[in-house]
Amino acid sequence: SRKSWSCLEQPRTESEWENSFTLKMFLFQFVNLNSSTFYIAFFLGRFTGRPGAYLRFINRWKLEECHPSGCLIDLCMQMGIIMVLKQTWNNFVELGYPLIQNWWTQRRLRREHGQNAKSSFPQWERDYNLQPMNAYGLFDEYLEMILQFGFTTIFVAAFPLAPLLALLNNVIEIRLDAYKFVTQWRRPLPSQAKDIGIWYGILEGIGILSVITNAFVIAVTSDFIPRLVYAYKYGPCAGQGRAGQGCLMGYVNASLSIFLVSDFENRSEPRTNGSELFGEAVKYCRYRDYREPPDSAEPYAYTLQFWHVLAARLAFIIVFEHMVFAIKTLIAYLIPDLPKDLRDRMRREKYLIQEMMYEAELERLQKEKNEKMKKNRAHYNEWP
């Protein structure tokens, strides 16, 4: 209803407004920065069809496909660009902007007060001429760290160097922030906070999403599951209950399907028949998929191996998620947020405060009772 929607958009307290603003800004930045990686990991090349029956946009343009080696390479390159170039550029902008602003301010002061203007000013005036800290400066720092945590954890299976690059970036950024606070910004006004607020819930959500996403990356984007299925079910070691050295012989050939060149669509026909390269016209070609050959009873239908791989992928996702969440729950139980001695001290302080309040209330009641008794005695003495 309109009334309930207006309540959501008009929080009662400043804390509720900050939580709502933080969540909306995080969701906007998260979708804006992670849409490309999610597209590469789970959508790129998934809906292109097959040779002879490609799916086309507006029945004209063929959809984009992954690299022949798989989408995992594209995802790894995208994550490498984000974790190296984007973080480097962010640090450059964060330091360069106040430097340029302060340089322009000093230039204006020298033009107005002479070349030795800075040395003639008292310290407080020199500090005042520095750049004021943005009202959302701390919010931007939190948002940057949360987004970095998302990049580090959500696709760590595709780019294992992400945590190391994040650590190196944070070590450098700590020194850059210290330099900015000391030399480029005015002293910020302190404010008291009980905890990090809604950021804790956002971190919990990213942690859950990262487990699910990594499970899908390992099962769907990479070739880990198809290799296991081939090693245990279709390879040289099939039926032996093991997958040692040599059990993946013939995997590449088994992962490629056969296509009859004459079945190409008119718009997809090759320009040449390959006779200038191979001496005779090419009749068949291979592509990555699990489909029946063109001379089978159901040409280009999915093979039994495809369904085995699909079932193994779904089983891996379920087992992986439950196992990780179980380990997380166990670690959270074994390592509590508060140590036992600190929890006991907090309980004792709470008990002492309650006891003091109880004694103060008893003392107040006793005092009121004594005053009432004095008034009654004075009233009886005045009666004759």
Side-chain angles (χ1 to χ4, degrees), residues 309-339:
V309 171
L310 180 61
R313 283 172 168 167
L314 296 177
F316 174 83
I317 291 172
I318 295 174
V319 173
F320 181 85
E321 291 178 357
H322 284 73
M323 182 180 67
V324 173
F325 285 132
I327 295 174
K328 173 185 175 296
T329 305
L330 178 62
I331 294 176
Y333 174 77
L334 296 177
I335 306 176
D337 295 337
L338 293 175

Side-chain angles (χ1 to χ4, degrees), residues 32-189:
N32 185 35
L33 296 175
N34 288 274
S35 57
S36 61
T37 52
F38 275 91
Y39 169 73
I40 294 173
F42 305 121
F43 297 99
L44 180 61
R46 306 293 175 186
F47 309 102
T48 57
R50 60 168 180 83
Y54 285 118
L55 298 178
R56 299 179 180 274
F57 182 68
I58 319 180
N59 199 25
R60 183 175 179 181
W61 292 288
K62 179 183 171 183
L63 300 180
E64 186 181 11
E65 294 188 56
C66 295
H67 189 270
S69 60
C71 293
L72 195 65
I73 300 300
D74 297 335
L75 181 60
C76 182
M77 293 176 61
Q78 179 75 3
M79 288 297 301
I81 293 172
I82 291 174
M83 296 303 297
V84 177
L85 297 182
K86 186 178 184 302
Q87 291 190 144
T88 304
W89 173 253
N90 287 342
N91 290 333
F92 175 77
V93 171
E94 287 184 11
L95 182 61
Y97 181 77
L99 283 174
I100 295 174
Q101 291 291 327
N102 286 326
W103 171 81
W104 184 260
T105 301
Q106 295 300 327
R107 182 175 179 272
R108 178 177 56 82
L109 292 175
R110 284 194 300 268
R111 188 167 48 192
E112 294 177 357
H113 302 280
Q115 293 295 328
N116 299 325
K118 183 177 180 180
S119 60
S120 61
F121 289 159
Q123 184 63 44
W124 65 267
E125 192 167 356
R126 280 183 281 177
D127 293 342
Y128 181 78
N129 290 327
L130 297 177
Q131 292 302 306
M133 186 175 181
N134 187 5
Y136 298 100
L138 188 59
F139 172 83
D140 294 336
E141 296 292 336
Y142 267 111
L143 183 61
E144 182 182 0
M145 289 296 101
I146 297 298
L147 293 175
Q148 184 196 72
F149 177 74
F151 283 126
T152 304
T153 57
I154 292 178
F155 293 105
V156 67
F159 190 66
L161 283 177
L164 176 61
L165 295 176
L167 175 62
L168 295 176
N169 173 79
N170 291 343
V171 171
I172 297 173
E173 190 168 359
I174 286 174
R175 305 311 307 166
L176 293 180
D177 288 344
Y179 177 78
K180 286 189 301 182
F181 274 102
V182 174
T183 63
Q184 303 301 317
W185 282 349
R186 298 177 191 168
R187 182 180 299 176
L189 296 176

